[in-house]
């Protein structure tokens, strides 16, 4: 059975996508969810042989709740030195007021929308919510806002419009502000505060939510050390004082307590971003203030460390609502610490019942979990305490037993919460392994089938022999047995095990078929290799040290991605590879200059002409060579002879200059995880006047470079296709756009990138005649290195979203996303664009001409130097006959044949060899000793030399 190359490629892409999707399904397990049943009734109070009359939810603890959420409110902004200096009223509440303070840990991803979900649902959002953060869908999961609306609570919201998108019909009054326009850190908060006085005087609400964005925007623009941070904290402190004093005045009239919650959704890294898991990003401030919280004079309450998901259960208890079904948090016990013992145990029991139900729905063997066993013990002890309490036993035994039950419940809640939270970090190894096997099998099949799939009309043979069929059935039976064993022995849920048996069988059949295809292609390749070894063909290509470095470096980087520490510090890998590459280029330049292309010692002298060295080498070359190839000309004794004087010294010094630039750029921005906090040159450059001067100098330099490239493309448009000139225009435009979007202290990165590209192009890649594959890999390496030179990392917190708002008066989603993405990947994009231009302008120097051309492929074009070398070879060897393929054995129509005459020449034995010779590009008519060499064929608007008459 034959399969067309198009269908084969399409099938490989589809299967590859399925394999990647299966791997991601195992790597990102779904969040912990209970069954989608209606909210169960409140669990009755446990009793041991006695009838308890407490079967409903406890009444609300607070009449009103105000949630003041300050975006990116890091814990040290409140509890550290900045809090003491800029938030005096908040500091007073923390140290002496009726409050409880906490350091709430936010789980990654630390971006706004997932954190709001965690605060209101108590669940742990997945990383897919990072994408949804750009356009948040309505939240359908059980949450505090939905419960409050169902209970008749009136909710008012002002601030980040993400809340309006998550809860579209839950607020009786709201005013949303755009959260992505980070250039605005004043009006975005004023639009919230302007409603405050009017709302606080009204009594027609139960829950008020305020979300301030200014602090986060300042962090994105200038980082946590900016002087604007202090001013914004002072502004937030004054707003908190206004809200608190207003609530206290109402409490004096109504004699019912209210609750004021000050919290942050996530922290802020040292660079001002957020999204990852550094300590500064996950540590947020949480302050609960109410007149119901009694505090003894002089009592010190240091902030306790809790989980951010604990707030949902706490708010539900405070409002007298059911705890959200999917909540993995435990309510903050200090909130009810001043209540009666029976109420405390009742709240603890409700939270334990909710967590135990979630455990039963998410863990198949929940009976073996220690948290569930502790819950049963706690419930039994609680029942004994209720029985003693109903017997009106107020003895010391009742008090001691109550304290014991309380401790048991607290330990139970801690264990259950930790167990449920860990479910998110448990990978589906089985799905990951199967997905990885599918991806590797498709890649292997593609690599083994590439030689047969080059042509547009090529067809591939699909193995359907009896041997392959037998191998397929045996492999399928073996994989099915493994599948049954894994699904019956595992204690946790597996995605493939949850599929129906026809779907699971289809996946295993696909794996078996791909394996048979890989083995068949591998066998065919080995057989072809044996035939080639029996009839060897001479090949001038050999491995060089640079080729080995490129292959080993790329393979080593791929292997390093298997360790999380190497992923976190991937920039170190690229710094090492780029530095090693510079030293390898330096070694190659010096060896080519002082030893020559063949490794023989020689004197590195100045050439009189650009082609004097190669021509003399060809003049003395033995005519026993059966073909003159461009690659042989490329490996001439000194490829640097075409450079003169200072240019040659620049070629020898260029690798060292590139290495120096890379070392300087390493110190510009500290990135990664381990050393991101260390000072760098970027902090010194971001100082008022110095920063402005860098902007002026580098922007002017970039403008000059861009204009020069545009003019050069227009001047040379007559010698190259018109579309090539446009590539330089695109490249120049990208450079100018990068200069506009990058932060001022990163402009040296752009300048050094242009400098390195110029040095390598003019003094390394062109003189040393590097092939297209080598140049492509070098561009990829430098592009990755410059990604980290910008200060980026695999940490999402290093994304500079402020670049997405340069030149915009308001938030526009598509342009903002494009500008942010381009600013983040400016380094790789510029190097990729430069690669396209380089390969377009240097076709003769960046093509792998050592491999004979196959039939049906486009003819290869060569530059002026290659044409001159070939013509001189023919002129200096009158015994060499170059003729049309039609006069001899059949060869591709665009190839010439080199024939050595039967008579001996220059003391050499007669010989006759036929090998393809590269087609000449733009060769005009040539006369020599009365013989005319002329053009005879026009192919694709390019004249090729086709006929030589001797």
């Amino acid at each position: 059975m034959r399969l067309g190359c198009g269908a084969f490629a399409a099938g490989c892409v589809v299967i590859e996508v399925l394999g990647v999707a299966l791997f991601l399904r195992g790597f990102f397990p779904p969040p912990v969810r209970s069954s989608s049943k209606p909210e169960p009734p409140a669990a009755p109070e446990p009793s041991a042989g006695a009838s308890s009359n407490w079967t409903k939810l406890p009444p609300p603890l607070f009449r009103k709740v105000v949630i003041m959420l300050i975006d990116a409110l890091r814990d040290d902004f409140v509890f550290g030195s900045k809090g003491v200096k800029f938030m005096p009223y908040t500091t007073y509440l923390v140290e002496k007021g009726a409050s409880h303070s906490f350091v709430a840990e936010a789980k990654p991803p630390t971006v706004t929308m997932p954190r709001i979900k965690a605060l209101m649902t108590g669940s742990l959002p997945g990383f897919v919510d990072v994408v949804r953060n750009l356009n948040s869908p309505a939240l359908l999961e059980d949450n505090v806002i939905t419960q409050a609306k169902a209970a008749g609570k009136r909710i008012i919201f002002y601030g980040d419009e993400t809340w309006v998108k998550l809860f579209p019909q839950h607020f009786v009054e709201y005013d949303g502000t755009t959260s992505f326009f980070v250039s605005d850190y004043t009006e975005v908060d004023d639009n919230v505060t302007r409603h405050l006085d009017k709302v606080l005087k009204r009594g027609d609400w139960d829950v008020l939510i305020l979300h301030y964005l200014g602090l986060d925007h300042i962090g994105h623009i200038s980082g946590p050390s900016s002087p604007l941070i202090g001013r914004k904290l002072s502004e937030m402190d004054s707003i908190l004082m206004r809200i608190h004093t207003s609530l206290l005045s109402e409490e004096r009239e109504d004699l019912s307590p209210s609750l004021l919650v000050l919290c942050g959704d996530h922290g802020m890294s040292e660079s001002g971003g957020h999204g990852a898991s550094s300590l500064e990003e996950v540590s947020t401030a949480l302050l609960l203030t109410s007149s119901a919280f009694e505090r003894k004079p002089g009592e010190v309450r240091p902030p306790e460390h809790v989980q951010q998901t604990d707030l949902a259960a706490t708010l539900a208890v405070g409002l007298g609502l059911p705890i959200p079904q999917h909540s993995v948090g435990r309510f903050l016990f200090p909130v009810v610490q001043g209540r009666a013992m029976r109420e405390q145990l009742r709240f603890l029991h409700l939270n334990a019942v909710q967590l135990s139900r979630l455990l039963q729905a998410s863990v198949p063997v929940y009976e073996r979990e220690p948290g569930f066993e502790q819950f049963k013990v706690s419930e039994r002890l609680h029942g004994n305490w209720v029985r003693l309490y109903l017997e009106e036993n107020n003895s010391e035994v009742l008090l001691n037993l109550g304290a014991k039950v309380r401790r048991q419940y607290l330990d139970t809640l801690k264990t259950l919460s930790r167990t449920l939270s860990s479910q998110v970090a448990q990978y589906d190894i089985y799905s990951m392994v199967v997905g990885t096997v599918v991806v590797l099998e498709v890649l292997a099949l593609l690599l083994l089938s590439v030689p047969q799939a080059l042509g547009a009309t090529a067809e591939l043979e699909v193995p359907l022999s009896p041997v392959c069929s037998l191998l397929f059935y045996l492999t399928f039976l073996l994989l099915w047995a493994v599948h049954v064993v894994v699904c019956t022995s595992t204690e946790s849920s597996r995605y493939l095990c949850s599929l129906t048996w026809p779907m699971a069988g289809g996946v295993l059949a696909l794996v078996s078929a791909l394996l048979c295809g890989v083995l068949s292609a591998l066998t065919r390749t080995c057989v072809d290799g044996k035939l080639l070894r029996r009839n060897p063909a001479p090949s001038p290509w050999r491995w060089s040290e640079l080729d080995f470095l490129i292959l080993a470096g790329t393979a080593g980087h791929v292997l390093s991605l298997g360790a999380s520490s190497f992923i976190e510090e991937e920039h170190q890998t690229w710094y090492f590879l780029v530095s090693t590459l510079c030293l390898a280029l330096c070694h190659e330049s010096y060896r080519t200059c002082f030893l020559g292309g063949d490794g023989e010692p020689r004197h590195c002298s100045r050439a009189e002409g650009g082609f004097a060295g190669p021509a003399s080498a060809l003049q003395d070359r033995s005519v026993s060579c059966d073909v003159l190839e461009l690659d042989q000309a490329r490996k001439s004794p000194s490829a640097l002879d075409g450079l003169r004087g200072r240019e040659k010294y620049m070629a020898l010094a260029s690798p060292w200059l590139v290495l120096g630039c890379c070392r300087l750029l390493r110190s510009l921005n500290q990135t990664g995880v381990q050393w991101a906090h260390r000072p760098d040159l970027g902090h010194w450059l971001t100082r008022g006047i110095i920063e402005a001067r860098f902007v002026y100098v580098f922007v002017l330099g970039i403008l000059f470079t861009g204009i020069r490239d545009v003019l050069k493309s227009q001047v040379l448009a007559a010698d190259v296709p018109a579309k090539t000139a446009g590539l330089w225009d695109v490249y120049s435009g990208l450079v100018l756009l990068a200069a506009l979007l990058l932060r001022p202290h990163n402009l040296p990165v752009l300048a050094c990138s242009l400098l390195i590209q110029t040095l390598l192009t003019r003094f390394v890649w062109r003189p040393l005649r590097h092939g297209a594959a080598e140049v492509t890999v070098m561009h990829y390496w430098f592009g990755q290195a410059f990604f980290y030179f910008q200060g980026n990392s695999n940490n999402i917190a290093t994304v500079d979203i402020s670049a997405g708002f340069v030149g915009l008066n308001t938030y526009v989603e598509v342009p903002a996303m494009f500008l942010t993405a381009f600013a983040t990947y400016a380094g790789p994009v510029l190097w990729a664009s430069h690669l396209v231009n380089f390969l377009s302008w240097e076709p003769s120097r960046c093509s792998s001409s050592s491999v004979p051309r196959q039939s049906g492929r486009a003819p290869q074009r060569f530059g002026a130097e290659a044409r001159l070398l070939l013509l001189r070879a023919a002129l200096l060897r009158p015994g060499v006959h170059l003729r049309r393929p039609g006069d001899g054995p059949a060869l591709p129509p665009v190839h010439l044949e080199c024939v050595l005459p039967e008579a001996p020449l220059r003391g050499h034995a007669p010989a006759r060899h036929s090998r393809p010779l590269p087609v000449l590009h733009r060769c005009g008519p040539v006369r020599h000793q009365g013989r005319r060499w002329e053009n005879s064929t026009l192919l694709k608007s390019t004249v090729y030399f086709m006929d030589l008459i001797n």
Side-chain angles (χ1 to χ4, degrees), residues 177-217:
T177 57
T178 301
S179 60
F180 292 103
F181 191 59
V182 297
S183 299
D184 173 28
Y185 52 84
T186 303
E187 292 185 6
V188 71
D189 287 343
D190 292 342
N191 287 333
V192 178
T193 308
R194 64 191 178 97
H195 301 282
L196 200 56
D197 292 336
K198 180 178 63 176
V199 171
L200 291 176
K201 295 177 181 178
R202 291 159 42 186
D204 58 345
W205 55 270
D206 301 297
V207 180
L208 174 63
I209 303 175
L210 309 172
H211 190 150
Y212 286 93
L213 293 164
L215 186 68
D216 178 67
H217 290 184

XYZ file of all heavy atoms in Angstrom, residues 177-217:
342
model
N -13.224 48.329 36.050
C -12.106 49.045 35.431
C -11.208 48.033 34.730
O -11.093 46.881 35.146
C -11.291 49.819 36.479
O -10.814 48.907 37.482
C -12.136 50.877 37.140
N -10.548 48.470 33.666
C -9.670 47.601 32.892
C -8.404 47.309 33.674
O -7.736 48.225 34.162
C -9.322 48.256 31.550
O -10.528 48.507 30.837
C -8.445 47.351 30.727
N -8.053 46.043 33.764
C -6.909 45.643 34.579
C -5.618 45.555 33.792
O -4.540 45.489 34.385
C -7.184 44.278 35.222
O -7.397 43.290 34.222
N -5.679 45.554 32.441
C -4.475 45.324 31.651
C -3.783 46.604 31.200
O -2.701 46.544 30.642
C -4.812 44.482 30.418
C -5.216 43.075 30.751
C -6.541 42.693 30.714
C -4.264 42.144 31.113
C -6.918 41.404 31.023
C -4.633 40.855 31.427
C -5.949 40.480 31.380
N -4.403 47.750 31.411
C -3.773 49.012 31.016
C -2.857 49.462 32.148
O -3.199 50.300 32.973
C -4.834 50.058 30.706
C -4.287 51.279 30.042
C -3.622 51.194 28.842
C -4.452 52.528 30.615
C -3.113 52.319 28.224
C -3.950 53.658 30.011
C -3.281 53.556 28.805
N -1.643 48.861 32.178
C -0.767 49.034 33.341
C -0.122 50.404 33.395
O 0.473 50.767 34.423
C 0.334 47.943 33.337
C -0.275 46.567 33.476
C 1.168 48.025 32.060
N -0.199 51.167 32.322
C 0.388 52.511 32.369
C -0.390 53.441 33.290
O 0.124 54.476 33.710
C 0.449 53.103 30.956
O 1.249 52.305 30.106
N -1.621 53.093 33.606
C -2.461 53.920 34.468
C -2.462 53.329 35.874
O -2.894 52.199 36.083
C -3.882 53.969 33.905
C -4.852 54.666 34.853
O -4.399 55.533 35.633
O -6.048 54.328 34.818
N -1.965 54.065 36.829
C -2.006 53.617 38.219
C -2.654 54.673 39.127
O -2.596 54.555 40.348
C -0.590 53.311 38.730
C 0.420 54.420 38.516
C 0.532 55.466 39.416
C 1.259 54.404 37.416
C 1.456 56.477 39.231
C 2.192 55.408 37.217
C 2.294 56.440 38.117
O 3.193 57.445 37.926
N -3.282 55.661 38.537
C -3.948 56.714 39.317
C -5.464 56.673 39.121
O -6.225 56.446 40.074
C -3.411 58.102 38.929
O -1.995 58.135 39.130
C -4.058 59.190 39.766
N -5.900 56.866 37.890
C -7.335 56.885 37.632
C -7.979 55.533 37.880
O -9.158 55.466 38.245
C -7.588 57.333 36.187
C -7.225 58.784 35.909
C -7.594 59.210 34.504
O -8.241 58.394 33.815
O -7.245 60.326 34.099
N -7.228 54.462 37.680
C -7.795 53.135 37.870
C -8.225 52.918 39.316
O -9.183 52.178 39.595
C -6.777 52.062 37.414
C -5.603 51.992 38.389
C -7.428 50.702 37.264
N -7.555 53.582 40.260
C -7.953 53.508 41.669
C -8.940 54.618 42.036
O -9.813 54.417 42.898
C -6.722 53.593 42.566
C -5.893 52.318 42.526
O -6.423 51.288 42.070
O -4.721 52.341 42.943
N -8.804 55.777 41.412
C -9.753 56.860 41.686
C -11.167 56.472 41.274
O -12.148 56.889 41.914
C -9.323 58.128 40.949
C -8.030 58.715 41.501
O -7.673 58.342 42.642
O -7.377 59.507 40.795
N -11.285 55.668 40.216
C -12.612 55.224 39.780
C -13.280 54.312 40.800
O -14.506 54.149 40.777
C -12.501 54.497 38.434
C -12.226 55.442 37.292
O -12.577 56.617 37.346
N -11.581 54.946 36.246
N -12.487 53.703 41.674
C -13.046 52.877 42.746
C -13.374 53.740 43.959
O -14.456 53.643 44.545
C -12.061 51.759 43.130
C -12.614 50.932 44.288
C -11.776 50.871 41.927
N -12.455 54.611 44.329
C -12.609 55.398 45.546
C -13.739 56.428 45.429
O -14.349 56.808 46.444
C -11.283 56.107 45.866
O -10.226 55.142 45.873
C -11.333 56.793 47.219
N -14.041 56.887 44.226
C -15.066 57.924 44.067
C -16.454 57.451 44.496
O -17.324 58.278 44.782
C -15.107 58.404 42.625
C -15.514 57.355 41.608
C -15.265 57.836 40.180
N -15.612 56.828 39.178
C -16.757 56.798 38.527
N -17.685 57.726 38.788
N -17.004 55.876 37.627
N -16.667 56.135 44.552
C -17.963 55.614 45.002
C -18.002 55.383 46.516
O -19.070 55.075 47.055
C -18.258 54.269 44.318
C -18.297 54.337 42.824
N -19.376 54.830 42.139
C -17.382 53.971 41.892
C -19.130 54.765 40.827
N -17.935 54.244 40.658
N -16.875 55.511 47.191
C -16.754 54.996 48.553
C -17.635 55.753 49.548
O -18.399 55.128 50.312
C -15.285 55.046 48.972
C -14.883 54.144 50.144
C -15.238 52.703 49.858
C -13.390 54.270 50.402
N -17.542 57.052 49.566
C -18.289 57.829 50.562
C -19.788 57.599 50.444
O -20.504 57.433 51.446
C -17.966 59.322 50.416
C -16.528 59.632 50.806
O -15.953 58.851 51.581
O -15.973 60.629 50.293
N -20.269 57.561 49.224
C -21.708 57.389 49.012
C -22.175 56.005 49.470
O -23.229 55.858 50.097
C -22.036 57.600 47.535
C -23.504 57.441 47.190
C -23.759 57.710 45.719
C -23.029 56.707 44.846
N -23.361 56.903 43.401
N -21.376 54.974 49.172
C -21.786 53.610 49.519
C -21.724 53.383 51.019
O -22.607 52.725 51.614
C -20.903 52.597 48.759
C -21.146 51.185 49.262
C -21.160 52.675 47.276
N -20.696 53.916 51.688
C -20.552 53.689 53.123
C -21.682 54.336 53.920
O -22.003 53.886 55.031
C -19.202 54.225 53.602
C -17.968 53.459 53.109
C -16.688 54.134 53.574
C -17.996 52.007 53.577
N -22.292 55.384 53.380
C -23.404 56.023 54.079
C -24.714 55.280 53.892
O -25.660 55.521 54.628
C -23.561 57.475 53.592
C -22.370 58.359 53.943
C -22.558 59.759 53.379
C -21.367 60.644 53.700
N -21.511 62.015 53.123
N -24.752 54.429 52.876
C -25.971 53.671 52.610
C -25.972 52.380 53.424
O -24.932 51.874 53.824
C -26.072 53.324 51.118
C -26.315 54.532 50.244
C -25.905 54.288 48.804
N -26.298 52.970 48.314
C -25.929 52.501 47.122
N -25.160 53.232 46.333
N -26.343 51.303 46.744
N -27.166 51.865 53.646
C -27.270 50.621 54.394
C -27.948 49.521 53.611
O -28.411 48.545 54.208
N -27.986 49.659 52.276
C -28.714 48.698 51.456
C -27.787 47.648 50.837
O -27.997 47.203 49.719
C -29.475 49.431 50.349
C -28.549 50.254 49.462
O -27.378 50.491 49.868
O -28.984 50.623 48.349
N -26.777 47.270 51.551
C -25.883 46.234 51.039
C -25.389 45.378 52.201
O -25.372 45.800 53.369
C -24.702 46.848 50.277
C -23.907 47.868 51.059
C -24.144 49.214 51.102
C -22.784 47.619 51.907
N -23.240 49.827 51.936
C -22.376 48.866 52.423
C -22.077 46.488 52.274
C -21.300 48.987 53.300
C -20.984 46.608 53.134
C -20.618 47.850 53.644
N -24.953 44.162 51.845
C -24.418 43.231 52.844
C -22.945 42.922 52.612
O -22.211 42.657 53.564
C -25.208 41.913 52.813
C -26.681 42.113 53.084
O -27.015 42.558 54.202
O -27.507 41.853 52.173
N -22.540 42.942 51.369
C -21.138 42.648 51.022
C -20.667 43.726 50.063
O -21.322 44.011 49.050
C -20.992 41.248 50.378
C -19.534 40.983 50.025
C -21.523 40.171 51.308
N -19.515 44.320 50.377
C -18.898 45.331 49.519
C -17.492 44.832 49.148
O -16.686 44.509 50.027
C -18.811 46.678 50.239
C -18.047 47.795 49.517
C -18.726 48.161 48.201
C -17.907 49.019 50.422
N -17.223 44.786 47.849
C -15.928 44.302 47.348
C -15.266 45.431 46.583
O -15.851 46.007 45.660
C -16.102 43.068 46.440
C -16.836 41.949 47.183
C -14.752 42.564 45.938
C -17.143 40.737 46.319
N -14.039 45.751 46.965
C -13.230 46.784 46.314
C -11.922 46.150 45.845
O -11.208 45.535 46.649
C -12.940 47.939 47.274
C -14.136 48.555 48.005
C -13.647 49.541 49.061
C -15.071 49.241 47.017
N -11.619 46.307 44.569
C -10.394 45.727 44.003
C -9.563 46.856 43.411
O -9.900 47.425 42.372
C -10.728 44.689 42.934
C -9.540 43.895 42.475
N -9.638 42.604 42.026
C -8.220 44.187 42.406
C -8.442 42.141 41.692
N -7.571 43.104 41.918
N -8.428 47.171 44.082
C -7.540 48.249 43.647
C -6.375 47.668 42.836
O -5.731 46.707 43.254
C -7.005 49.011 44.860
C -8.038 49.904 45.513
C -8.815 49.454 46.575
C -8.236 51.201 45.059
C -9.765 50.267 47.172
C -9.186 52.038 45.657
C -9.942 51.556 46.702
O -10.874 52.370 47.283
N -6.093 48.299 41.681
C -5.090 47.789 40.748
C -3.821 48.632 40.674
O -2.842 48.206 40.055
C -5.691 47.715 39.333
C -6.809 46.687 39.114
C -7.542 46.995 37.819
C -6.224 45.290 39.081
N -3.819 49.807 41.256
C -2.700 50.726 41.068
C -1.368 50.176 41.530
O -0.342 50.366 40.867
N -1.349 49.483 42.670
C -0.088 48.948 43.188
C 0.511 47.937 42.218
O 1.729 47.933 41.974
C -0.330 48.310 44.558
C 0.911 47.825 45.297
C 1.770 49.001 45.717
C 0.513 47.007 46.533
N -0.307 47.086 41.659
C 0.180 46.102 40.695
C 0.714 46.775 39.448
O 1.753 46.361 38.900
C -0.949 45.141 40.344
C -0.545 44.118 39.305
O 0.314 43.274 39.613
O -1.082 44.160 38.182
N 0.062 47.803 38.962
C 0.512 48.501 37.763
C 1.849 49.190 37.998
O 2.714 49.192 37.108
C -0.535 49.517 37.329
C -1.777 48.887 36.788
N -2.826 49.616 36.258
C -2.163 47.586 36.703
C -3.773 48.799 35.863
N -3.401 47.567 36.136
